[in-house]
Amino acid sequence: MSRPHPDRGQSEAEVLRLRKALDHVGAHVFIKDLDGRYTYVNRMVSELFGAAAEDILGRTDERFFDLSLSKDLRDHDRRVIEEAVRIEGEERNVVARSGETRYFQAVKQPLFDDDGTVVGVLGVSTDITARKRVEIALRERESLLSDILDTASVAIFLVDRDGVITHANRRMAEMFGHPLAQIIGSEYVAHIHPAERDTGRERMRALLASKIAAVDLERLYLRADGSEFWGHLTGRRFQDGQGAERGLVGVIADISAARRAIERHASVINLAMDGFLAVGADGRVRECNAALCTLTGYLREEILGSSLSRFEAQESADEAAAHTRRIFATGNDRFETHWRRKDGSVVEVEVTATCLRRDEEIGVFVRDIAQRKAHQDELRYIASHDLLTGLPNRALLFDRMRQAVAQADRAGTLLAVCYLDLDGFKPVNDRFGHQEGDGVLIEVARRLKGCVRGDDTVARIGGDEFVLLLQGLGDTGAVEAALRRVLVAVAQPLRVGGSEVAVSASLGAALYPRDDADTDTLLRHADQAMYLAKQGGRNRFHVFDTEHDRCVRERTERQARIAQALRDQELVLHYQPQVDMRSGRVLGAEALVRWLHPQRGLLAPAEFLPLIEDSDLIVELGDWVIATALAQLEAWRREGLELQVSVNIAARHLLRTDFVSRLCAHLDTCPQLPRHALKLEVVETAALEDLAHVSALIRECRELGVAFAVDDFGTGYSSLSYLKALPAQVLKIDQSFVRDMLVDAEDRAIVEGVIGLARVFGRTVIAEGVETVEHGTMLLALGCEQAQGYGIARPMPGAELQAWVGHWRPDRAWEG
């Protein structure tokens, strides 16, 4: 019976399933032919190489690795092929396409055909990066730990439960003079001096048996050459990672030099200027030096064995003992106290205590500080007083002010903070010299002290400036009476350089708690009031007005809020059309600023512009209005609407020396826009502030192509000469005249006069405030055809104006 042939389709399906399975194996699987070309790679190889399988097949390792690694891989492949052997554990580090270095372990074996001939290499490579990194980290950690131990300045060692040293660092070998190999494996107690060896063995056993938690002591050790040295030993038990007791860890510091230094210091201490005592844990004196005997008046024999409490003049014996215990507990202390000498006299001393041996002895240094305290008192006085007059200075003044404020709060009385500056002192100083001038200040200080009561304060804060704190005042009448007394006292004639001279004072006062401010602010308010007194004619006083100051602060805060609104884009422009009532043509629009307030809604200019008219913020706002209006003009032109926009310019903005340059900068941002599309309006009163300057500025702007109008015409000081000098093309009749001209003959006459002046001087005239058809009819009858007002249109957002222009028609009564 013939053998069935396998189904080809079935074989290919098996191959596909095998390939798919290999793509999901957690390893890199590949096959190479005898020339090292890849004939199969699974998905993980493609990801490693960063290339599709079809871009890998047919290529050799040189395409994907550097020459050195490619050569090594090729040599291993050749060995597999030529010797027909399996190679395991081949490790390589590879730089992946991402730039990261990864580590792989590969198994390679020969691939045979049906005849047993080697036709290629089958390889399986596993990513062992994580394991290698752990191994590297462990090696680095062990090396670092060894380096740390070997660079330590103390001996570090481990002892097992039998007392044998199992580990030691290089410093221990150096310290004991034995090779490190000889130290390790030796008994720890063998290195202790024979005189202390038994004690050391007992301590070690107690520690291993958990009878004591740790050791911290000084011990005598033996070197290899037989010499001895003192070491400070600390030791404790240690456990392995599973918590099993493994032995002891010990640290030894060579303290021989320190011990010798202590012995030397003992002789130095005995010769020291400060007193010294060594006190045991029982609070008894074990040792003292000669300086302490001199300080206390006791003999050395009388001091030794006594308690520290015998010297204390302020503490009882129990308190002194408790203090000694605290020093032992904390290790050190420094304090000032009073000691009583043998003769009963008391001396102020500074005591510095430090622990010499833990739980055993403290050292106490005692210094007589009577002279130092006197010097400190002198320095404190200098730091807090004016050296010329002896009065408190600024530093002490503020301390007194805080106390005076607290006292006023408790008593419910007035505190007057008075700032005094001498009038006419500089001429006296210049005429008679600084020495005589100092004499004047001393005399003024004396007079001021004579004007105040015991609880009051007089301070000199510099030059000829003084501050008085007047406490316990019942009302403003008492304050004013006190201030008058001060002015009278200062104004009395003085003898200076053989001549009689007179100085006076300007005095300002702030009253707490009516002026409920902090001390710094109170003094500043008094200074401000003094300045007003000096401006008012000198030799007088002025009391700070808190209500006026509150209004100033409130105005400042509101100005800051408007500035914030400008930064936060809360301000918008609305546009009120300007029309020819006769022809019905829309000539332009006036840009009017509005505040879209987050809480209060849309606010008119009268709500906020008056607050900033006298500040530079009006300039910043004016620049914003010009820039915004120009941008709106460009937007209208793109929509086919060509108008002229009028922008109001404040006097402060107009009179700036850089106004024209700033205007040019705005115009340069819109190079396609005709310059005559912008018209600037200035109120008549602003133009009159500096007529020559404003006239020159208008001419300069007209040369740029920008038009000018005089707003609110008729409200200022209009005259023929003024109108002739001012080269503005347009006059705007103020709405206050237009609104009432139907019922007020004088207003009608003013309107008619302005129209006549405009006609004579060749100016265009436009009327504001046209609220009814009748207003427009009368204006037309008087010869004014251009107008704006609620009777024509209210101000509207720029986006709505084009639609309004398309639908607006003049009233039939206006058609002539």
Side-chain angles (χ1 to χ4, degrees):
M1 187 173 76
S2 63
R3 189 174 180 179
H5 294 283
D7 181 67
R8 180 178 180 84
Q10 184 179 0
S11 298
E12 290 179 352
E14 290 295 332
V15 170
L16 286 174
R17 281 196 294 273
L18 178 60
R19 287 177 178 268
K20 190 171 184 179
L22 290 176
D23 280 341
H24 291 84
V25 171
H28 304 76
V29 182
F30 58 87
I31 298 175
K32 299 180 186 177
D33 62 15
L34 298 178
D35 295 324
R37 290 189 294 271
Y38 285 98
T39 59
Y40 168 76
V41 295
N42 71 345
R43 175 182 55 81
M44 289 190 68
V45 175
S46 296
E47 292 175 356
L48 175 66
F49 289 172
E54 54 267 23
D55 295 328
I56 300 174
L57 300 182
R59 298 182 181 274
T60 64
D61 288 322
E62 286 79 5
R63 175 66 176 79
F64 306 103
F65 304 110
D66 61 49
L67 293 178
S68 176
L69 179 57
S70 300
K71 183 178 181 304
D72 285 349
L73 295 174
R74 183 60 179 154
D75 290 343
H76 281 74
D77 292 348
R78 190 175 292 111
R79 181 183 168 205
V80 171
I81 293 170
E82 293 177 355
E83 300 179 13
V85 295
R86 175 186 174 95
I87 295 179
E88 296 184 1
E90 178 189 47
E91 291 189 8
R92 289 285 183 269
N93 59 304
V94 175
V95 178
R97 299 286 287 188
S98 65
E100 179 187 13
T101 299
R102 305 195 65 81
Y103 299 87
F104 296 88
Q105 187 177 60
V107 176
K108 293 181 178 179
Q109 66 181 37
L111 191 65
F112 300 96
D113 63 6
D114 293 341
D115 298 329
T117 302
V118 176
V119 294
V121 175
L122 170 64
V124 179
S125 178
T126 305
D127 190 332
I128 59 171
T129 302
R131 190 191 78 196
K132 292 293 289 184
R133 288 176 177 170
V134 170
E135 292 174 357
I136 292 170
L138 286 174
R139 285 197 298 272
E140 291 177 347
R141 184 176 177 183
E142 289 173 358
S143 175
L144 177 61
L145 181 59
S146 177
D147 290 343
I148 292 172
L149 292 176
D150 283 340
T151 55
S153 61
V154 293
I156 305 173
F157 61 97
L158 301 180
V159 174
D160 63 16
R161 298 191 63 80
D162 295 324
V164 175
I165 298 173
T166 59
H167 293 81
N169 68 344
R170 186 179 305 160
R171 177 60 183 141
M172 187 166 187
E174 296 171 351
M175 187 179 292
F176 286 87
H178 291 288
L180 188 59
Q182 189 175 334
I183 291 283
I184 297 173
S186 66
E187 276 193 298
Y188 161 69
V189 295
H191 302 284
I192 301 177
H193 192 279
E196 297 192 11
R197 192 165 292 164
D198 291 340
T199 304
R201 184 178 284 109
E202 290 175 6
R203 286 265 186 171
M204 182 180 70
R205 289 173 178 170
L207 189 58
L208 286 168
S210 301
K211 293 180 179 179
I212 57 176
V215 294
D216 187 348
L217 49 83
E218 294 178 4
R219 174 145 289 154
L220 193 61
Y221 289 97
L222 203 63
R223 294 191 181 94
D225 61 4
S227 61
E228 58 188 44
F229 70 95
W230 282 97
H232 182 268
L233 169 69
T234 55
R236 61 177 179 82
R237 296 182 299 279
F238 78 95
Q239 301 172 336
D240 62 14
Q242 285 71 44
E245 295 283 351
R246 297 300 303 274
L248 307 176
V249 56
V251 177
I252 300 172
D254 187 343
I255 60 171
S256 298
R259 296 274 294 204
R260 289 192 296 271
I262 290 173
E263 293 172 0
R264 289 195 302 271
H265 293 163
S267 62
V268 173
I269 286 173
N270 198 48
L271 298 174
M273 298 291 290
D274 292 339
F276 173 77
L277 307 96
V279 182
D282 58 359
R284 300 290 174 179
V285 178
R286 296 179 178 180
E287 189 57 75
C288 69
N289 66 352
L292 188 80
C293 296
T294 303
L295 175 66
T296 62
Y298 288 99
L299 298 175
R300 182 172 182 274
E301 293 75 17
E302 295 175 304
I303 296 175
L304 296 182
S306 64
S307 171
L308 275 180
S309 61
R310 86 177 295 175
F311 307 112
E312 282 289 349
Q314 293 179 325
E315 292 184 344
S316 65
D318 290 342
E319 289 172 334
H323 199 168
T324 302
R325 288 193 296 272
R326 286 198 301 273
I327 294 171
F328 272 108
T330 59
N332 57 74
D333 195 8
R334 175 176 289 184
F335 57 94
E336 294 179 2
T337 186
H338 291 80
W339 275 20
R340 192 177 303 280
R341 293 190 178 99
K342 185 177 181 179
D343 62 7
S345 62
V346 175
V347 61
E348 193 168 5
V349 295
E350 179 185 71
V351 177
T352 303
T354 186
C355 188
L356 300 179
R357 285 184 291 177
R358 188 178 296 274
D359 300 329
E360 294 183 17
E361 191 174 61
I362 60 173
V364 180
F365 294 87
V366 185
R367 174 176 295 179
D368 183 344
I369 58 173
Q371 284 188 329
R372 190 184 78 187
K373 294 293 285 186
H375 183 59
Q376 287 177 344
D377 291 341
E378 183 181 357
L379 290 177
R380 276 194 293 269
Y381 181 85
I382 292 172
S384 61
H385 288 76
D386 172 50
L387 296 183
L388 177 64
T389 62
L391 296 176
N393 62 9
R394 185 181 291 270
L396 182 55
L397 169 66
F398 278 104
D399 183 60
R400 297 275 183 89
M401 285 182 69
R402 285 187 286 270
Q403 297 176 30
V405 166
Q407 174 62 25
D409 288 336
R410 288 192 299 269
T413 56
L414 287 177
L415 164 66
V417 179
C418 310
Y419 201 109
L420 183 147
D421 182 88
L422 295 180
D423 304 324
F425 174 71
K426 186 177 184 303
V428 173
N429 211 28
D430 293 343
R431 177 184 173 190
F432 297 101
H434 290 291
Q435 185 173 353
E436 294 292 344
D438 288 347
V440 170
L441 295 175
I442 294 170
E443 174 59 19
V444 169
R446 187 191 65 79
R447 293 181 182 184
L448 292 176
K449 286 192 291 185
C451 293
V452 301
R453 297 162 299 177
D455 292 338
D456 297 334
T457 296
V458 179
R460 179 179 177 231
I461 60 173
D464 59 344
E465 296 175 330
F466 298 83
V467 173
L468 293 80
L469 304 180
L470 307 180
Q471 302 189 67
L473 300 171
D475 53 29
T476 54
V479 172
E480 292 178 359
L483 299 182
R484 289 191 185 95
R485 285 197 303 271
V486 170
L487 292 179
V488 170
V490 174
Q492 296 301 312
L494 302 107
R495 298 293 298 179
V496 180
S499 301
E500 187 176 90
V501 298
V503 294
S504 62
S506 294
L507 189 59
L511 303 184
Y512 179 86
R514 296 186 181 183
D515 186 353
D516 189 12
D518 56 38
T519 53
D520 287 334
T521 306
L522 284 171
L523 189 59
R524 188 173 69 252
H525 288 173
D527 185 17
Q528 293 172 9
M530 181 276 293
Y531 181 72
L532 292 175
K534 196 173 285 287
Q535 282 187 322
R538 305 187 177 191
N539 192 25
R540 63 187 61 207
F541 66 83
H542 184 86
V543 179
F544 183 79
D545 186 346
T546 55
E547 178 61 24
H548 177 266
D549 183 63
R550 185 193 63 78
C551 293
V552 171
R553 286 200 311 271
E554 182 178 296
R555 182 181 183 88
T556 302
E557 290 168 0
R558 293 180 67 185
Q559 286 178 343
R561 178 63 184 91
I562 296 169
Q564 185 66 41
L566 184 57
R567 289 192 294 271
D568 293 347
Q569 299 181 344
E570 294 176 6
L571 301 184
V572 296
L573 288 185
H574 283 191
Y575 298 87
Q576 185 173 41
Q578 297 173 334
V579 304
D580 186 313
M581 295 182 291
R582 184 78 71 190
S583 67
R585 187 163 60 94
V586 179
L587 306 173
E590 182 178 0
L592 300 169
V593 67
R594 300 288 188 267
W595 184 356
L596 193 57
H597 197 284
Q599 287 79 40
R600 300 174 60 194
L602 195 66
L603 302 182
E607 293 275 353
F608 56 92
L609 285 187
L611 292 169
I612 63 173
E613 285 178 343
D614 296 327
S615 73
D616 285 338
L617 184 56
I618 196 70
V619 178
E620 186 179 349
L621 175 63
D623 281 338
W624 175 84
V625 171
I626 292 173
T628 306
L630 289 173
Q632 183 63 69
L633 281 169
E634 282 202 317
W636 284 334
R637 282 178 62 81
R638 288 193 295 271
E639 296 171 0
L641 179 63
E642 295 191 15
L643 294 175
Q644 183 182 58
V645 167
S646 300
V647 171
N648 293 286
I649 301 298
R652 191 181 186 92
H653 192 182
L654 182 70
L655 296 175
R656 284 181 63 102
T657 56
D658 61 347
F659 176 80
V660 175
S661 62
R662 293 161 75 103
L663 177 62
C664 289
H666 287 302
L667 294 172
D668 289 344
T669 63
C670 306
Q672 305 301 320
L673 192 69
R675 299 291 177 87
H676 63 77
L678 178 67
K679 180 168 64 178
L680 302 181
E681 294 188 6
V682 55
V683 295
E684 180 184 356
T685 51
L688 286 172
E689 285 189 30
D690 190 342
L691 183 59
H693 173 74
V694 172
S695 297
L697 185 145
I698 292 176
R699 291 190 184 92
E700 195 171 352
C701 290
R702 288 185 61 178
E703 290 176 3
L704 296 173
V706 176
F708 250 91
V710 177
D711 196 9
D712 297 345
F713 192 80
T715 60
Y717 304 95
S718 306
S719 68
L720 296 178
S721 60
Y722 152 67
L723 187 57
K724 181 180 179 181
L726 196 65
Q729 301 101 312
V730 180
L731 302 181
K732 295 189 71 175
I733 307 174
D734 185 64
Q735 60 181 327
S736 63
F737 303 125
V738 175
R739 187 187 306 114
D740 296 332
M741 69 178 183
L742 297 175
V743 295
D744 190 317
E746 290 183 357
D747 285 344
R748 177 176 176 176
I750 292 173
V751 172
E752 191 172 3
V754 172
I755 295 171
L757 283 173
R759 186 180 299 114
V760 170
F761 286 97
R763 307 286 199 269
T764 301
V765 65
I766 181 170
E768 296 180 305
V770 176
E771 297 182 356
T772 65
V773 172
E774 290 75 14
H775 283 107
T777 302
M778 179 170 286
L779 286 170
L780 288 170
L782 295 175
C784 176
E785 298 179 350
Q786 297 185 15
Q788 67 182 87
Y790 285 3
I792 299 169
R794 289 179 175 270
M796 64 190 74
E800 300 176 8
L801 187 66
Q802 186 171 19
W804 182 90
V805 171
H807 292 90
W808 184 77
R809 297 293 182 272
D811 193 273
R812 292 181 179 276
W814 295 348
E815 296 177 358

